[in-house]
Amino acid sequence: MPESPFYAKAMRGGSRLVGHWMLIGQADPDRLAQILADTARLASLGDPEETPSGATLREWSHEGQPPSWAMRSALFLLVQMPSRPIPNDDLEACAWAYCWLRNRSFEAFEQACEALPVHLQAPLAAALEQAWADQQSQRLI
């Protein structure tokens, strides 16, 4: 089955999502990598075999492909930040929407929308709709 355009955009936006975490995270890259890996383990967002280095995290944030657990953990942390960050572009929004649906379970699209923090509802509206459609076609697994 060919890859969906949404999924391809979400994967390309993954490096931007991790880069956003690195940009506003208040620690050095090695510490931010540790926080991502620990968050993945504690929040059941994935099971990294080892904690990446700061250099690896920088690579993932510059057009490298971060693993799913890193993307999911970055989103988990970003949506909790008091500065209320939003995605910077469409590719990053797709990665945010992809991870939002992967991080939680929703029975209906409306539940997924309503569960978003208020400051993300408008910026993620279009991407979340695409992510939901992709998930319903069983591509978002």
Side-chain angles (χ1 to χ4, degrees):
M1 181 180 296
E3 187 176 271
S4 76
F6 170 79
Y7 182 79
K9 289 190 329 186
M11 292 302 101
R12 283 197 316 269
S15 62
R16 296 171 190 209
L17 172 57
V18 171
H20 203 142
W21 160 246
M22 285 194 69
L23 179 67
I24 63 177
Q26 297 181 353
D28 65 81
D30 286 326
R31 179 71 181 127
L32 292 173
Q34 178 73 52
I35 291 168
L36 274 186
D38 288 347
T39 298
R41 292 178 188 110
L42 293 171
S44 300
L45 300 173
D47 193 18
E49 292 180 19
E50 59 184 44
T51 299
S53 66
T56 298
L57 190 60
R58 277 193 295 276
E59 179 185 315
W60 291 342
S61 71
H62 291 97
E63 302 306 320
Q65 182 59 57
S68 177
W69 67 261
M71 292 169 48
R72 293 174 66 190
S73 296
L75 179 72
F76 181 87
L77 294 163
L78 285 169
V79 298
Q80 296 180 57
M81 292 187 134
S83 62
R84 298 172 23 164
I86 60 172
N88 290 312
D89 59 32
D90 183 53
L91 290 177
E92 188 179 342
C94 288
W96 285 49
Y98 170 84
C99 292
W100 182 252
L101 294 182
R102 293 287 313 266
N103 285 358
R104 301 177 64 180
S105 179
F106 302 101
E107 295 291 321
F109 174 70
E110 294 74 22
Q111 290 176 327
C113 292
E114 292 168 6
L116 279 170
V118 173
H119 74 280
L120 290 173
Q121 290 178 356
L124 289 183
L128 192 60
E129 187 172 348
Q130 293 172 48
W132 185 265
D134 202 63
Q135 181 182 52
Q136 296 311 300
S137 67
Q138 300 301 310
R139 292 186 182 119
L140 195 101
I141 295 177

